[in-house]
Amino acid sequence: MPIHPHRHRRCRSATASVANRRAMMIEALSETERADALDGLPEWDHDEARDAITRTIVFADFIEAFGFMTQVALIAERMNHHPEWANVYNRVDVLLTTHDAGGLSSRDIEMAQAIDAIVEE
Ligand SMILES: C[C@H](O)[C@H](O)[C@H]1CNC2=NC(N)=NC(=O)C2=N1
């Protein structure tokens, strides 16, 4: 059942205590941190306009692509960190950025590493 677009709580932090809010806060990477992280992610490109990283993966067919997306979806839920992505048949375009930080954060780097590990399986 879809969540009502106007009445659902978009983010837990709206009602979180100050202490919890502190724990949930995440900062965007500095330029140096980003450059270091990207060195370890040769398959990923930096999207400057979004301060995001992107990767396109082409699979053998749709079922391989959707199987990949299913595995990533489970990790995304566990991490509470969700990709922006699109799928056309055997192709998946992935964009990672941290909305709460307004740019790339360590969560995106962790997610990119998890995605790379799945693709290499
Ligand atoms: C309320 C919820 O915890 C937040 O909106 C989470 C959900 N998933 C997320 N995913 C991404 N990519 N960035 C976020 O800032 C983010 N925030």
Side-chain angles (χ1 to χ4, degrees):
M1 189 171 62
I3 300 171
H4 191 285
H6 302 297
R7 297 175 91 194
H8 81 280
R9 285 208 183 100
R10 297 203 70 242
C11 191
R12 277 183 214 102
S13 65
T15 53
S17 69
V18 171
N20 276 340
R21 228 176 270 176
R22 197 154 208 284
M24 292 188 308
M25 273 200 318
I26 180 96
E27 283 192 18
L29 298 179
S30 70
E31 268 185 53
T32 317
E33 288 169 332
R34 188 184 67 220
D36 286 347
L38 281 169
D39 276 347
L41 297 170
E43 304 296 331
W44 295 79
D45 294 317
H46 185 231
D47 177 330
E48 285 192 34
R50 290 287 315 272
D51 191 17
I53 51 175
T54 60
R55 178 174 180 183
T56 294
I57 307 133
V58 178
F59 295 90
D61 53 27
F62 173 73
I63 206 69
E64 292 288 329
F66 203 79
F68 160 79
M69 293 176 83
T70 304
Q71 290 182 71
V72 173
L74 297 176
I75 293 170
E77 262 311 277
R78 203 164 62 219
M79 286 177 64
N80 191 31
H81 194 64
H82 302 87
E84 296 182 30
W85 54 10
N87 162 236
V88 179
Y89 180 50
N90 63 344
R91 171 188 171 124
V92 183
D93 295 305
V94 184
L95 182 150
L96 302 177
T97 191
T98 301
H99 309 124
D100 295 343
L104 206 59
S105 79
S106 58
R107 288 183 196 157
D108 302 302
I109 306 309
E110 276 173 50
M111 176 62 77
Q113 288 166 346
I115 287 174
D116 284 352
I118 292 169
V119 173
E120 276 152 37
E121 266 171 15

